[in-house]
Amino acid sequence: MIAQPAPKQEVLARRDAIVAGLRRLLPESGVIAEPIRLRPYETDGLAAYRQPPLAVALPETTEQVAAVLRFLHEEGVRIIPRGAGTSLSGGALPMADAVVVGLMRLNRILAIDYADRCATVQAGVTNIGITQAVQGTGFFYAPDPSSQLACMIGGNVGMNSGGAHCLRYGVTANNLLGLKIVTVSGEIIDIGGAHLDAAGYDWLGLLTGSEGQLAVVTEVTVRILRGPEGARAMLAAFRANEVAGACVDAIISSGIIPVALEFMDRPAIHACEAFAHAGYPLDAEAMLIIEVEGSPAEQDFLLSRIREICERHDPISLKVSQSAEESAAIWKGRKGAFGAVGRISPDYLCMDGTIPTGRLPEVLRRIGEMSERYGLKVANIFHAGDGNLHPLIMFDANDPDSFARAERFGADVLRLCVEVGGCLTGEHGVGVEKRDLMDAQFTPTDLAQQRRIKDAFDPLWLLNPSKVFPLVETLKQAA
Amino acid sequence: MSEALAPADEEGVVTALAEAYDAGVPLEISGRGSKRGMLRPVQAARGLSVAGHAGITLYSPQELVIAAKAGTRLDEIEAAVAAHGQHLIAEPPDLSGVLGVRAPQTLGGVVAANLSGPRRIAGGATRDHVLGVRAVNGRGELIRSGGRVLKNVTGLDLCKLLSGSHGTLAVLTEITLKVLPAPERCGTVTLTGIDPTKGVAALSAALGSPYGVSAAAYLPAGAAARVPALAWLGAAVALVRVEDFAPSVAYRTEKLRQELARFGRTELLDDGASRNAWRAVRDALPLRGEEGAIWRVSVRPSAAPAAAAAVVGAFGARWFMDWGGGLIWIAGPPSEAAHDAVVAAARAGGGTWMLLRAPDGLRAAASVIPQEPPALARITSAVKAAFDPKGILNPGRMYPGV
């Protein structure tokens, strides 16, 4: 288990006064302090970790967020910003002496501007909610994390979320124009706007993916894009991971960048097929889902080129979708992958390293060896175009030894990603989960520089504490 | 100023900055000095150039990454990726024509200034493709952020923070960029004789179409006349570019001509004419030869025609627009009155400005970029101090006292 620091006793002792202070700032329903009603806030998508907070504040406006932060800052109380609580890295995990500031009531779409191709929404609007608001005119918001039905744009900014289509459309940071933020001391600041490339330091870039360490985001101006005329998928299955990897290299080298290029290994194929009956080839060692966009003729052109490349790699099977229904069937298994693994194992950890794509076969081989050593099954899903690897490590949370092995296995996978030239996290964030692995990727000097930036925004280290930075350093900082 | 420091390697940069830190000696940071005339003049005792720290260190075409030392000439990198049929996504401009310098620009300079060309509107800015950096901060410490993979959210994103920081936070020593396959073909649809308001509306219609427009610009007649590939049209022109495989370019430009016919008469520029026209737009060549000051103004595209009209009314500005109207290039007299008019126009358009070129006096006196509100200015000062506590890196380049 990952250790959390002891709560500040002097804060716990002032609990009633802190709750009363919050009640003065927010409507009646905006403060939660009863233990039973704090339960929904005790964890996020990293459900193995649970800790009810001191209280939950649910502001409805930016001004209320500012008032709450100003008050908590003056009181020296730790603050846990929270959207939908879908973080897979424990990014919204509370502490006993902390107040969760939930942004879900800031859920309004404030402006949609098709001529300038942008939308301004509050932080608690869901990711899919933005696309739903604009899709009637053929527009969409590009980043599409798997949790997009639930996750909120404020959290997407916090974690710099990606998705299956970011090879073509980029991650959250590449799709933002402006933010409204509240500093820890309660100051409201507008960053950027509806224009490109604000002058001055790139606050938009620094805040995106800062995991709630620097400020709380209350409004977001995103770019909206007109969707393509259409999209179509194909499926290609191969007899070895090496061959599928070589095929990915050949596609990219041919000058084609598919909008999605997803890789599944044998255990992932089997789990997804059992769950979704998508018609995946069970005799394959590796499978690619490849999607292209454009008019029907353009889709044909690209898919025929990709098909030729796949055929040079001795495929076990190839299936080119002829319709939207067939494309949906090809995607069905992949999109249900997490649920599928959840059916064959009581629990799983979803890892999120990135590797240079050329190292995939070697990395999968070594993950296989670890799987045997730890006695835990693993299924690998990989955004093959951009190197983002999601091993799903299966374990049983009712067995403490199984959980401990799963965590050690996961840490070994991430160290392996760094060793081959990659990184600890491609899109889920560091959170609590990978906090203590940061020194595998960064030197003490690198981390000290990042901590000094944190100091500049949050000198008392009240915002989303004991995350991102290795705990020992954080404690030193607080001392 | 005494002779510039010219370390030949990263260790040399570390040593030079550690010594400058100890002695509290401010340095003007540069590559080959091609952007020395941008923003405010730096008050420094010595120069430090990374031009000697050059060379490509990694290029993996099938992984879409290239890394090079900061002093590497950009044209060397462009040639290296072109040899593998790839290109730099943000299409960084070569501003030597408008800045009036002959020096070739370096990778470090382009990233430090976050310069992006016409493709910015579809493919992102230079900062969007900076995957990893190595840099030396104002304490003489080597720091690293990001890496050599395409997706990375590990820790705070210093790649973006250092991009566009104009050497005021750290000296970039090595940069890893994402690259993409270069398109097989490009084609451009033009609309001639169209006024700025209808022009921007046409650009918005094109950018809001499903046809994958990769660049969109508007040139008044005077600006178009200075671009050989456009001068024959003899009028103001709106330009829309498509880049893709040849059959797609043929199909999409035809669809765009149908879509845009309601705005006026369309023409099609072939691959060669397209490349020439967009290179001119990229490098601001319609303003080459203009005396005086040059500004870049970034606004919401629909506000651009009014902003352009305002500066034309105020001082007879010469101008053109890129980024679908979102970027206005403006030339005019190097006076405070003209600068104030540009600032007012940018503010009215809800946007921002940069005084790109002006005599030292105006650059030192004017807000070359917008002053930040007090709460943000305090963060700027604190973050500057977090990298460069003694203020030895390009002091005053962006803001007085920072």
Side-chain angles (χ1 to χ4, degrees):
Chain A
M1 288 294 277
I2 295 157
Q4 287 288 78
K8 297 182 195 169
Q9 289 303 324
E10 53 89 18
V11 171
L12 294 179
R14 284 185 288 127
R15 178 181 178 282
D16 291 348
I18 292 163
V19 169
L22 290 170
R23 289 201 196 283
R24 282 194 294 275
L25 301 171
L26 294 176
E28 173 69 29
S29 68
V31 181
I32 298 173
E34 304 83 342
I36 187 75
R37 293 184 57 219
L38 291 175
R39 292 289 298 276
Y41 298 91
E42 69 183 12
T43 189
D44 58 13
L46 187 68
Y49 291 86
R50 289 171 190 276
Q51 172 60 58
L54 185 101
V56 174
L58 301 173
E60 294 170 11
T61 64
T62 296
E63 289 69 28
Q64 287 179 1
V65 173
V68 167
L69 263 56
R70 195 177 305 121
F71 169 71
L72 294 173
H73 182 248
E74 283 165 4
E75 295 289 323
V77 178
R78 290 163 166 162
I79 297 155
I80 313 287
R82 181 182 176 105
T86 55
S87 170
L88 292 169
S89 59
L93 179 70
M95 295 170 69
D97 60 356
V99 170
V100 167
V101 178
L103 282 303
M104 56 285 273
R105 291 189 179 178
L106 280 89
N107 59 1
R108 286 186 305 129
I109 291 173
L110 301 174
I112 297 172
D113 184 337
Y114 294 107
D116 293 330
R117 298 168 301 284
C118 61
T120 300
V121 305
Q122 291 183 316
V125 171
T126 60
N127 174 289
I128 195 78
I130 302 175
T131 289
Q132 284 169 343
V134 300
Q135 67 188 1
T137 48
F139 280 76
F140 71 113
Y141 172 63
D144 59 344
S146 294
S147 56
Q148 70 177 159
L149 295 179
C151 66
M152 293 170 182
I153 188 66
N156 289 181
V157 173
M159 291 313 205
N160 194 11
S161 305
H165 291 83
C166 53
L167 181 57
R168 167 73 181 81
Y169 291 108
V171 295
T172 304
N174 313 120
N175 287 279
L176 297 183
L177 292 172
L179 296 176
K180 190 183 285 292
I181 61 167
V182 180
T183 67
V184 70
S185 58
E187 291 179 296
I188 299 168
I189 302 177
D190 289 306
I191 307 287
H195 54 283
L196 292 167
D197 297 350
Y201 293 143
D202 188 359
W203 303 124
L204 205 55
L206 178 67
L207 288 160
T208 307
S210 66
E211 304 198 20
Q213 293 295 314
L214 305 182
V216 175
V217 172
T218 61
E219 285 179 21
V220 185
T221 300
V222 299
R223 303 184 78 185
I224 52 173
L225 304 176
R226 176 67 188 264
E229 287 188 82
R232 202 137 45 95
M234 65 175 283
L235 183 159
F238 301 92
R239 60 188 160 69
N241 292 329
E242 283 81 355
V243 182
C247 185
V248 169
D249 279 357
I251 293 168
I252 303 267
S253 297
S254 80
I256 298 173
I257 301 294
V259 282
L261 189 44
E262 295 286 292
F263 177 111
M264 297 163 72
D265 71 355
R266 186 183 187 91
I269 297 168
H270 280 250
C272 291
E273 179 58 21
F275 178 63
H277 309 294
Y280 291 172
L282 295 175
D283 52 345
E285 284 298 319
M287 192 187 93
L288 299 176
I289 296 174
I290 308 160
E291 186 172 85
V292 300
E293 287 180 347
S295 69
E298 291 179 300
Q299 296 166 16
D300 284 340
F301 173 84
L302 293 170
L303 288 172
S304 71
R305 281 202 171 187
I306 294 170
R307 187 188 177 107
E308 281 169 27
I309 294 166
C310 291
E311 278 169 351
R312 291 205 297 272
H313 289 82
D314 189 21
I316 289 174
S317 66
L318 283 178
K319 184 156 86 186
V320 178
S321 152
Q322 302 301 328
S323 66
E325 292 71 33
E326 287 184 27
S327 291
I330 287 174
W331 273 110
K332 190 176 167 200
R334 167 63 186 88
K335 291 202 168 170
F338 291 4
V341 171
R343 257 177 35 131
I344 60 172
S345 171
D347 301 279
Y348 64 87
L349 285 178
C350 177
M351 309 312 293
D352 170 49
T354 307
I355 57 173
T357 54
R359 305 295 289 269
L360 178 68
E362 173 195 347
V363 168
L364 290 184
R365 191 169 58 244
R366 288 176 63 184
I367 289 176
E369 289 163 11
M370 291 177 196
S371 168
E372 286 188 18
R373 195 161 66 242
Y374 284 107
L376 295 172
K377 284 198 245 175
V378 62
N380 287 290
I381 291 164
F382 184 56
H383 302 305
D386 55 31
N388 193 191
L389 181 65
H390 293 310
L392 303 173
I393 298 172
M394 296 171 236
F395 70 100
D396 179 357
N398 291 321
D399 171 0
D401 176 61
S402 168
F403 179 51
R405 277 181 287 136
E407 287 206 312
R408 290 204 304 277
F409 185 176
D412 282 355
V413 168
L414 297 181
R415 284 193 199 97
L416 171 62
C417 291
V418 173
E419 180 198 317
V420 301
C423 65
L424 295 173
T425 171
E427 58 186 358
H428 294 174
V430 176
V432 168
E433 185 198 25
K434 295 175 273 281
R435 180 191 72 196
D436 294 327
L437 293 171
M438 287 287 273
D439 54 11
Q441 186 172 331
F442 293 108
T443 65
T445 314
D446 298 337
L447 286 171
Q449 182 64 67
Q450 294 190 32
R451 284 202 313 276
R452 285 197 300 273
I453 296 168
K454 164 78 170 166
D455 283 336
F457 281 82
D458 178 20
L460 303 177
W461 284 60
L462 295 177
L463 283 171
N464 219 11
S466 77
K467 289 160 194 161
V468 182
F469 299 95
L471 190 58
V472 55
E473 301 293 342
T474 306
L475 291 176
K476 234 187 281 169
Q477 198 73 31
Chain B
M1 215 188 278
S2 46
E3 197 186 337
L5 298 161
D9 54 23
E10 190 174 69
E11 215 168 295
V13 178
V14 169
T15 304
L17 290 182
E19 286 173 8
Y21 172 70
D22 284 341
V25 176
L27 298 174
E28 184 194 54
I29 311 303
S30 68
R32 287 169 176 263
S34 68
K35 297 170 185 60
R36 182 167 283 126
M38 281 177 69
L39 303 182
R40 305 182 73 253
V42 170
Q43 299 298 318
R46 282 194 95 167
L48 183 151
S49 165
V50 297
H53 181 55
I56 293 168
T57 53
L58 163 82
Y59 180 32
S60 179
Q62 72 281 8
E63 291 176 330
L64 306 173
V65 294
I66 189 164
K69 297 173 191 170
T72 313
R73 288 171 57 148
L74 194 74
D75 53 11
E76 185 188 328
I77 293 169
E78 288 170 331
V81 298
H84 284 82
Q86 298 189 327
H87 69 182
L88 300 183
I89 305 164
E91 202 177 3
D94 174 357
L95 298 180
S96 55
V98 283
L99 289 171
V101 293
R102 302 192 78 91
Q105 60 184 348
T106 60
L107 175 63
V110 168
V111 171
N114 185 27
L115 286 175
S116 312
R119 206 178 292 114
R120 193 272 171 259
I121 194 154
T126 287
R127 64 79 127 155
D128 288 300
H129 310 114
V130 176
L131 301 176
V133 295
R134 295 169 66 91
V136 183
N137 67 16
R139 303 149 60 110
E141 298 166 339
L142 176 67
I143 53 172
R144 307 160 318 145
S145 183
R148 55 149 300 187
V149 288
L150 302 188
K151 245 166 115 184
N152 187 345
V153 296
T154 321
L156 298 177
D157 189 349
L158 307 193
C159 298
K160 292 198 178 64
L161 180 61
L162 295 184
S163 300
S165 68
H166 296 276
T168 62
L169 298 177
V171 178
L172 294 166
T173 53
E174 191 168 336
I175 295 143
T176 306
L177 289 180
K178 178 184 176 183
V179 294
L180 279 176
E184 179 178 281
R185 193 67 54 85
C186 74
T188 298
V189 175
T190 65
L191 270 167
T192 41
I194 187 171
D195 72 39
T197 302
K198 277 179 79 176
V200 168
L203 300 181
S204 285
L207 288 162
S209 79
Y211 306 120
V213 168
S214 79
Y218 176 90
L219 282 67
R226 292 179 174 205
V227 179
L230 301 174
W232 63 278
L233 293 164
V237 58
L239 301 168
V240 172
R241 179 176 70 183
V242 174
E243 300 176 294
D244 215 314
F245 290 102
S248 277
V249 171
Y251 166 75
R252 293 180 180 210
T253 49
E254 183 51 39
K255 293 296 260 188
L256 283 162
R257 290 186 75 170
Q258 291 166 17
E259 185 104 347
L260 298 178
R262 65 191 157 102
F263 291 98
R265 177 184 155 82
T266 67
E267 305 276 355
L268 184 63
L269 301 186
D270 67 11
D271 188 79
S274 282
R275 288 178 198 271
N276 289 334
W278 287 104
R279 194 178 182 88
V281 170
R282 184 193 80 173
D283 296 345
L285 295 188
L287 299 186
R288 188 169 57 177
E290 293 287 349
E291 300 287 322
I294 292 181
W295 295 265
R296 275 162 59 107
V297 167
S298 178
V299 292
R300 62 164 65 225
S302 58
V311 291
V312 169
F315 57 85
R318 309 266 246 169
W319 62 281
F320 72 96
M321 297 188 272
D322 193 3
W323 299 355
L327 175 65
I328 317 172
W329 287 88
I330 298 169
S335 66
E336 289 196 26
H339 183 70
D340 291 347
V342 170
V343 167
R347 286 211 172 109
T352 177
W353 68 88
M354 175 188 285
L355 177 57
L356 187 80
R357 185 192 83 188
D360 282 2
L362 181 61
R363 292 164 61 207
S367 292
V368 295
I369 56 176
Q371 288 292 316
E372 293 175 319
L376 194 54
R378 281 197 294 280
I379 293 175
T380 291
S381 295
V383 168
K384 166 77 172 174
F387 281 88
D388 178 22
K390 291 189 179 173
I392 62 169
L393 299 177
N394 270 353
R397 171 66 87 188
M398 297 172 73
Y399 307 100
V402 175

